[in-house]
Amino acid sequence: MRWSQALIPTHKEDPADAETVSHRLMLRAGLIRKLTSGVYNYLPLGWRAIRKVEQIVREEMDRAGCQEILMPIASPAELWMETGRWDVYGKELWRVQDRNGRQFVLGPTHEEVVTDIVRNEVRSYRELPFTLYQIQTKFRDEVRPRFGVVRAREFIMKDAYSFHRDEASLDETYRALCDAYTRIFDRLDLNFRAVEAATGAIGGSASHEFMVLSDTGESEVIVCECGYAATSERAEGKIAPPPTGEEERPLERVDTPGMKTIEEVSAFLGVEPWRLVKTIIYEADGRPVATLIRGDREVNEAKLGLALAADIVQPATSETIEKVTGAPVGFAGPVGLEGIEIIADHTVEPLTSVVVGGNENDVHLTNVRPGRDFRVTAFHDIALIAKGDSCAKCGKELDSFRGIEVSQAFKLGTKYSTSMKATFLDEDGEAKPFIMGCYGLGVSRTVAAIIEQHNDKDGIAWPLAAAPLAVEVLAVNVKSDETRRVAEEIYESLRAAGVEVLYDDRDDRPGAKFKDADLVGLPLRVTVGDRGLERGVVEVRVRRTGEQTDVPTDGAAGEIQRILGTLT
Ligand code: 9G3
């Protein structure tokens, strides 16, 4: 690839509104360009990196015995109605119509479509188990697309689905695919960790997420010295109780003008945040529910969903909140709250004197005594566990780190096969629903995660396995005939040997070309310039270590390949 003829639009300056390193560098190095909110073009270097990752994913999936297929992007609404997900997923489900007004879904994932294939084609237990996978563009109409391709509305995913006659077979495939993921992320030189994860709306009995460690990652992982690691949604832990047993006082109504946040109210009243019990209104599969949680804690929506047996739990709209509480947002409270379930976290149970919203604009209530002043429908564990809580397994203090979720595996069980009547005939002649697993890996997001971990102040520093090309040959001054002759020769010899080379043959300032080379970050840079040529050498530099060697021009291509062989 000759740079003078390639579309590699690099930028010197950081783009505005790119919050993470990977997003900035993918734009600056000319890998991607935004088409519209959360939708990206992959330019030549970006697409090459995607294809590298895809190829590794393919090799490891095939090695694990999976079969590649390709399902359509658009699927008919009727399939999604069978599982109920047509109604469960609101605006995130990207709906389109054909010319006859028939409704379709642009696939956010393919459980429905793959289950439809299998119920039509597979009859007998003798045909089980098997795993189908595809690498495909997915659509999710995210509320807030951000971080470039990490949270995009259109993205590339490898999704796999396994079908089994029993749990033991599912367990075996689940382990094999988690091993395949480990191999994939090892090959990509990522620092990652597999952690226990919540199953969420998709249901199922077990799930693991593979997290690439990154301070700007969207996910929080809770870890313990004892080896326990789980997403904060999934994590179990113990929250230390505050002192209780205060003298009983009568409830008081206090004016708190314009004060809505815990910080504002706690500073104004001079009480610790834990004493302010927050009332947060949710909609669980559409029905409003009030939750009570200590002011210093957050609600874990996954746990709340489990407690309520709801598929989708989301914060209520301000309209619903005002209807339920009769007050503007920010002043909800449990006292006098009628006609709605009140779910309180266990940590609220021992409290004897708390502050709550007054269900009235600018009013809070103090000296509130749970039981005496308000009722609770049920206590559940609905608090998010955080760093500093104690481990549920061993009692030691929990720590946390942030990560990018690059893949997730689920033991689905029979949720989809039951609702879609997908059955096989077992050995005893009985029709049984397929037991399923599903395994996703975000391909575009993995490229971002690689960049997130492999960069420095000058740009990307690709690991060889994911690099768009292996080598950049940089001709310092293309006006020099000797430089051009040697550079062309090395470029052609490397290409003939099957090495992927970017040849910077642009007539540009050397400084700009060196900066671009560092920014684009191919693993090896071969500099061909008059100064070296006077001594009969070209300079080979390893991007990730900065290590430099002079290599004689005679036989340079062979020596460059040898050095390439030492890289990871
Ligand atoms: C939807 C929409 C968004 C979604 C889903 C469905 C996430 C949805 C979870 C999964 C689970 C697995 C196959 C590969 C492995 C992961 N967001 N999930 O099901 F309709 Cl709009 O996608 N799918």
Side-chain angles (χ1 to χ4, degrees), residues 26 32-42 47 50 54 73 92 94 96 106-109 136-158 442-446 448:
M26 289 180 86
I32 57 166
R33 282 298 179 263
K34 181 161 115 176
L35 175 63
T36 185
S37 169
V39 179
Y40 288 86
N41 293 299
Y42 289 90
W47 185 241
I50 294 273
E54 282 185 358
I73 284 173
E92 196 183 342
W94 201 313
V96 293
L106 297 183
T109 171
Q136 196 202 35
T137 299
K138 296 281 189 276
F139 294 82
R140 292 181 186 173
D141 197 355
E142 298 281 348
V143 189
R144 205 174 154 217
R146 53 189 187 148
F147 307 138
V149 302
V150 168
R151 185 154 294 277
R153 299 198 296 167
E154 181 187 318
F155 58 98
I156 303 167
M157 175 157 105
K158 185 285 299 171
V443 174
S444 34
R445 173 182 279 211
T446 296

Side-chain angles (χ1 to χ4, degrees), residues 32-65:
I32 57 166
R33 282 298 179 263
K34 181 161 115 176
L35 175 63
T36 185
S37 169
V39 179
Y40 288 86
N41 293 299
Y42 289 90
L43 301 186
L45 292 189
W47 185 241
R48 277 175 168 267
I50 294 273
R51 300 262 304 219
K52 289 285 168 70
V53 172
E54 282 185 358
Q55 189 51 33
I56 289 174
V57 169
R58 270 199 185 94
E59 285 171 18
E60 295 303 335
M61 294 303 288
D62 292 348
R63 189 204 299 272

Side-chain angles (χ1 to χ4, degrees), residues 80 85-86 88-95 105-112 138-142 155 157-161 181 199 201-202 312 405 407-410 412 416 437-441:
W80 295 78
R85 294 213 288 184
W86 178 258
V88 165
Y89 281 92
K91 291 188 169 171
E92 196 183 342
L93 196 58
W94 201 313
R95 297 162 214 247
V105 166
L106 297 183
T109 171
H110 276 67
E111 283 81 7
E112 280 81 354
K138 296 281 189 276
F139 294 82
R140 292 181 186 173
D141 197 355
E142 298 281 348
F155 58 98
M157 175 157 105
K158 185 285 299 171
D159 46 327
Y161 307 88
Y181 284 169
T199 48
I202 196 157
I312 296 274
E405 178 201 334
S407 70
Q408 183 163 21
F410 292 89
L412 279 178
Y416 291 89
C438 71
Y439 318 85
L441 185 154

Side-chain angles (χ1 to χ4, degrees), residues 435-461:
I435 294 176
M436 293 171 60
C438 71
Y439 318 85
L441 185 154
V443 174
S444 34
R445 173 182 279 211
T446 296
V447 170
I450 293 167
I451 295 171
E452 207 60 51
Q453 285 193 347
H454 295 285
N455 69 80
D456 61 20
K457 65 175 191 355
D458 298 318
I460 305 172

Side-chain angles (χ1 to χ4, degrees), residues 155-176:
F155 58 98
I156 303 167
M157 175 157 105
K158 185 285 299 171
D159 46 327
Y161 307 88
S162 66
F163 293 83
H164 311 268
R165 65 188 289 210
D166 55 32
E167 288 285 337
S169 165
L170 169 62
D171 291 351
E172 198 179 313
T173 298
Y174 188 88
R175 255 196 306 277

Side-chain angles (χ1 to χ4, degrees), residues 297-374:
R297 311 297 308 199
E298 302 299 327
V299 172
N300 182 335
E301 293 172 12
K303 284 187 186 169
L304 180 61
L306 287 178
L308 295 168
D311 283 325
I312 296 274
V313 167
Q314 51 195 16
T317 58
S318 35
E319 250 180 301
T320 305
I321 296 172
E322 284 165 26
K323 208 164 107 197
V324 167
T325 66
V329 175
F331 298 95
V335 179
L337 200 60
E338 300 296 340
I340 181 171
E341 270 173 275
I342 302 179
I343 306 296
D345 184 60
H346 282 307
T347 57
V348 173
E349 208 164 1
L351 305 184
T352 48
S353 176
V354 300
V355 177
V356 297
N359 293 327
E360 195 180 324
N361 193 24
D362 293 344
V363 172
H364 278 81
L365 307 176
T366 63
N367 305 330
V368 175
R369 216 174 156 82
R372 183 192 71 181
D373 297 322
F374 65 85

Side-chain angles (χ1 to χ4, degrees), residues 162-309:
S162 66
F163 293 83
H164 311 268
R165 65 188 289 210
D166 55 32
E167 288 285 337
S169 165
L170 169 62
D171 291 351
E172 198 179 313
T173 298
Y174 188 88
R175 255 196 306 277
L177 289 199
C178 285
D179 288 349
Y181 284 169
T182 299
R183 294 181 58 93
I184 291 167
F185 299 125
D186 275 340
R187 285 180 65 178
L188 293 171
D189 206 10
L190 285 166
N191 181 11
F192 68 97
R193 182 150 182 190
V195 310
E196 289 182 27
T199 48
I202 196 157
S205 63
S207 176
H208 286 83
E209 286 179 11
F210 285 71
M211 295 289 186
V212 169
L213 281 59
S214 160
D215 291 339
T216 56
E218 285 185 287
S219 309
E220 171 149 323
V221 179
I222 302 292
V223 286
C224 180
E225 272 174 36
C226 75
Y228 180 68
T231 62
S232 59
E233 279 202 319
R234 169 65 212 249
E236 308 276 342
K238 290 180 224 115
I239 299 172
T244 47
E246 314 65 1
E247 205 179 301
E248 192 164 336
R249 294 219 180 93
L251 181 147
E252 254 182 69
R253 187 173 172 283
V254 288
D255 287 329
T256 49
M259 288 170 213
K260 298 181 180 185
T261 66
I262 294 293
E263 293 73 33
E264 288 164 347
V265 180
S266 98
F268 181 72
L269 298 176
V271 298
E272 301 97 315
W274 60 261
R275 213 182 264 288
L276 269 58
V277 169
K278 294 187 276 195
T279 304
I280 303 170
I281 314 292
Y282 279 94
E283 284 172 60
D285 290 344
R287 100 189 115 113
V289 174
T291 60
L292 300 184
I293 187 119
R294 257 167 47 182
D296 61 339
R297 311 297 308 199
E298 302 299 327
V299 172
N300 182 335
E301 293 172 12
K303 284 187 186 169
L304 180 61
L306 287 178
L308 295 168

